[in-house]
Amino acid sequence: MLIIPGQPGKDLCDRNLGVTRRAVLRAGGSGMLGLSLGSMLKLQSASANTVHGGPGWGKAKSVVMVYLQGGPSHLDLWDPKENVPDKVKSVFGNISTKLPGVQFTENLPLLAQVNDKFTMIRSMGYTPNGLFNHTAAIYQMQTGYTTDKVSPSGQLEPPSPKDFPHFGSNIIRLKPPTEPMLPFVMLPRPLQESNVVGKGGTAGFLGREYDPYTLYPEGDDMDMEKMSRIRVDDLQLRADVFAARLERRAKLRDSIDLSMPEIDKAVAEYRLDEYYDRALNLVVSGRAREAFSLDQEPRDVRDRYGRNTFGQSLMLARRLVEAGTRVVEVIWPKVANSDNHSWDHHVGLNERMKNQSGPMLDRGLATFIADLDERGLLEETLVVCVGEFGRSPQKGVSTSGNGNSADGRDHWPYCFTSVVAGAGIKRGNVHGKSDKTASAPLEDPVHPTELLATIYHAFGIDPETIVYNHLKQPRELVKAKAITRLFS
């Protein structure tokens, strides 16, 4: 097979570079057709300019992933079941929603009033590769790939430059923002299980240039006021350096560069001008600093989101999107395998769901979706709310080696629920169906990789676009097809 190589470590499907997996496969059979290398290069050029399409193609200008790290119980939130054994049935009562025949539990009264604005996927699921641990599942959900290094304790090795890139890193590589703004922001804490921090949350083999800008305010996970103390000092100009002075320095640099063509040529591959100009524009514009100024929001709007880390993080996500940020990930503000406000409800689910995680999710997410819609931002902003898995249908049993109380539910990757909205996604829609105990998808199953493929599709990016890893081996962004039926 003939594979057309591109620049080492770079994707091959920018408009001016590329070739997709399909084109590579076509190239593999070209010998039988008598194609010359020149013909092959013409094929590559044609493939790079292929116009893809279908419902939802290219509708998104930004994406916000609301990541419910820890794995929320779908049975106790948005996929309750009736006429099931007591060990399966949620203790919470069911409530009606805006959609006839669709019910949530009483934990989501506000989301029940806005579910006419989003699609709920009740048939997410996958068979796990390795143990049922958070980190392996998080890695898959963020990158589209599974890892083959899972220890007996369920933990993984720390982040590595060899890792597959986070989907946000791929997006800003292929669809860089058009505004002088932070392209990819992750907040308010890192992806984490125990002492494994940040796995699946980096650009991996794409290089640190495409890592997210991380905003992790100081303070404990239970500190609900931390977002009022966020600091972005690295985006601030020193008091004695005004934007005009900085711009004059840039002009001086340009004049020096004109007299040094040989040096320019020598360092061209490092794209120093591009990086300098990007940083200069970011600092001078002040767009990022303005976006982070949460105190500019009216008091009633801040109250509406919820005066807690999760709610204020979602409000900041909206401000970042307004300012031009391409990708925002809001991570549930409690480490995956922990107690209190975590979604990892092995013990005390009833109390913790009712008084902690449930109300924060309900108020924050419902307000976020409604606010985006009221401002007209939902038309071009894709919202994805999902965890790494669901919880076991039967309470008090072990599926991952963890101990569970009588009201606790263990890890369950075989079936769970996600929410998607905006950028052409159908409104008031339920995609897929779980079986009578929410143990497995009954209709239209959706794998996490298909959800990522749908995100890429919404940005006008072919999910099969080829990137080259650290060994210069070609890899698809994700090995899956977009679920185009989610779009209108």
Side-chain angles (χ1 to χ4, degrees):
M1 177 182 288
L2 173 63
I3 297 178
I4 305 173
Q7 300 177 29
K10 302 297 182 184
D11 66 273
L12 293 183
C13 284
D14 282 354
R15 286 191 306 162
N16 300 319
L17 293 177
V19 60
T20 65
R21 179 174 175 270
R22 287 190 292 270
V24 171
L25 293 176
R26 287 197 299 268
S30 63
M32 294 183 293
L33 302 176
L35 293 180
S36 65
L37 179 59
S39 299
M40 289 300 304
L41 293 175
K42 289 181 181 179
L43 175 63
Q44 175 182 348
S45 177
S47 174
N49 290 289
T50 297
V51 177
H52 299 277
W57 176 261
K59 296 279 285 187
K61 288 187 177 179
S62 59
V63 59
V64 178
M65 174 171 275
V66 182
Y67 191 63
L68 306 183
Q69 173 184 270
S73 171
H74 50 303
L75 283 149
D76 297 290
L77 291 172
W78 25 43
D79 194 9
K81 298 296 181 179
E82 296 284 2
N83 304 316
V84 291
D86 289 343
K87 293 195 72 173
V88 174
K89 188 175 181 179
S90 173
V91 300
F92 304 110
N94 295 351
I95 60 174
S96 298
T97 71
K98 279 289 191 72
L99 305 183
V102 176
Q103 293 189 317
F104 291 168
T105 71
E106 60 187 291
N107 292 309
L108 304 178
L110 298 177
L111 279 165
Q113 295 305 305
V114 297
N115 71 331
D116 58 338
K117 300 180 186 297
F118 57 76
T119 282
M120 183 169 53
I121 304 174
R122 279 179 163 169
S123 54
M124 295 290 300
Y126 61 94
T127 301
N129 179 36
L131 302 181
F132 287 51
N133 72 91
H134 296 281
T135 315
I138 289 170
Y139 186 83
Q140 175 182 245
M141 188 63 71
Q142 305 295 330
T143 70
Y145 284 83
T146 56
T147 179
D148 55 5
K149 290 192 176 181
V150 184
S151 74
S153 68
Q155 304 302 312
L156 289 167
E157 62 180 8
S160 163
K162 302 176 184 178
D163 287 344
F164 278 91
H166 186 284
F167 75 88
S169 300
N170 282 325
I171 288 173
I172 65 169
R173 167 70 179 88
L174 295 169
K175 296 285 185 177
T178 57
E179 304 287 351
M181 182 55 187
L182 299 167
F184 177 13
V185 179
M186 185 177 286
L187 71 152
R189 68 163 354 275
L191 299 163
Q192 180 178 353
E193 178 188 10
S194 297
N195 63 344
V196 179
V197 181
K199 190 70 174 181
T202 73
F205 60 67
L206 285 185
R208 296 189 64 182
E209 177 188 355
Y210 301 105
D211 275 348
Y213 176 87
T214 57
L215 183 72
Y216 303 152
E218 295 180 358
D220 184 81
D221 285 353
M222 297 297 288
D223 180 356
M224 296 296 137
E225 299 295 326
K226 65 169 62 180
M227 294 303 291
S228 65
R229 303 190 301 272
I230 58 177
R231 298 177 59 188
V232 285
D233 291 347
D234 52 335
L235 296 179
Q236 298 281 357
L237 292 175
R238 293 203 322 267
D240 62 333
V241 180
F242 298 98
R245 287 181 59 192
L246 194 58
E247 289 175 333
R248 285 200 298 271
R249 291 179 184 179
K251 291 178 181 178
L252 177 61
R253 180 211 57 156
D254 291 340
S255 65
I256 294 174
D257 285 348
L258 289 175
S259 64
M260 302 176 67
E262 294 303 317
I263 293 180
D264 282 347
K265 183 178 179 180
V267 301
E269 65 180 287
Y270 299 105
R271 298 185 294 175
L272 297 183
D273 285 346
E274 177 183 337
Y275 301 147
Y276 184 94
D277 289 341
R278 187 183 305 172
L280 175 66
N281 290 339
L282 179 61
V283 175
V284 171
S285 74
R287 296 175 71 94
R289 297 197 308 278
E290 289 294 317
F292 284 113
S293 299
L294 298 185
D295 56 0
Q296 294 183 6
E297 288 287 331
R299 182 179 297 274
D300 64 323
V301 174
R302 299 194 68 175
D303 291 341
R304 185 180 166 197
Y305 273 90
R307 293 281 184 160
N308 54 63
T309 305
F310 179 67
Q312 299 300 292
S313 294
L314 288 174
M315 189 179 71
L316 175 55
R318 189 215 79 211
R319 293 177 61 85
L320 289 168
V321 167
E322 286 180 307
T325 294
R326 184 75 81 197
V327 181
V328 183
E329 178 155 357
V330 176
I331 299 168
W332 189 257
K334 197 73 169 70
V335 66
N337 53 344
S338 60
D339 55 10
N340 287 311
H341 290 87
S342 152
W343 289 111
D344 201 24
H345 291 146
H346 292 283
V347 298
L349 181 150
N350 297 345
E351 174 69 19
R352 292 164 58 191
M353 180 74 80
K354 179 179 180 179
N355 297 318
Q356 296 178 345
S357 49
M360 282 200 297
L361 171 65
D362 186 46
R363 176 171 292 279
L365 184 60
T367 300
F368 180 59
I369 291 173
D371 197 14
L372 288 177
D373 196 30
E374 291 164 7
R375 296 168 185 267
L377 294 171
L378 202 56
E379 291 298 314
E380 296 180 331
T381 302
L382 181 65
V383 177
V384 179
C385 180
V386 67
E388 58 265 31
F389 40 58
R391 310 303 293 189
S392 60
Q394 288 197 46
K395 292 177 278 190
V397 301
S398 177
T399 61
S400 64
N402 289 289
N404 299 271
S405 63
D407 71 339
R409 297 187 192 267
D410 211 333
H411 305 171
W412 194 259
Y414 302 105
C415 187
F416 54 107
T417 299
S418 65
V419 163
V420 288
I425 293 290
K426 292 177 182 176
R427 290 170 173 252
N429 179 47
V430 178
H431 181 89
K433 181 180 179 181
S434 62
D435 63 15
K436 65 180 181 179
T437 60
S439 302
L442 188 62
E443 298 175 2
D444 299 320
V446 176
H447 193 278
T449 56
E450 293 177 304
L451 184 60
L452 290 182
T454 304
I455 294 174
Y456 289 129
H457 175 91
F459 274 90
I461 298 172
D462 188 333
E464 292 184 321
T465 295
I466 296 294
V467 293
Y468 275 70
N469 68 10
H470 62 291
L471 297 177
K472 301 181 178 62
Q473 299 167 322
R475 295 290 183 265
E476 298 92 342
L477 293 180
V478 63
K479 296 180 180 180
K481 303 288 187 182
I483 309 295
T484 56
R485 284 177 296 163
L486 294 174
F487 296 94
S488 299

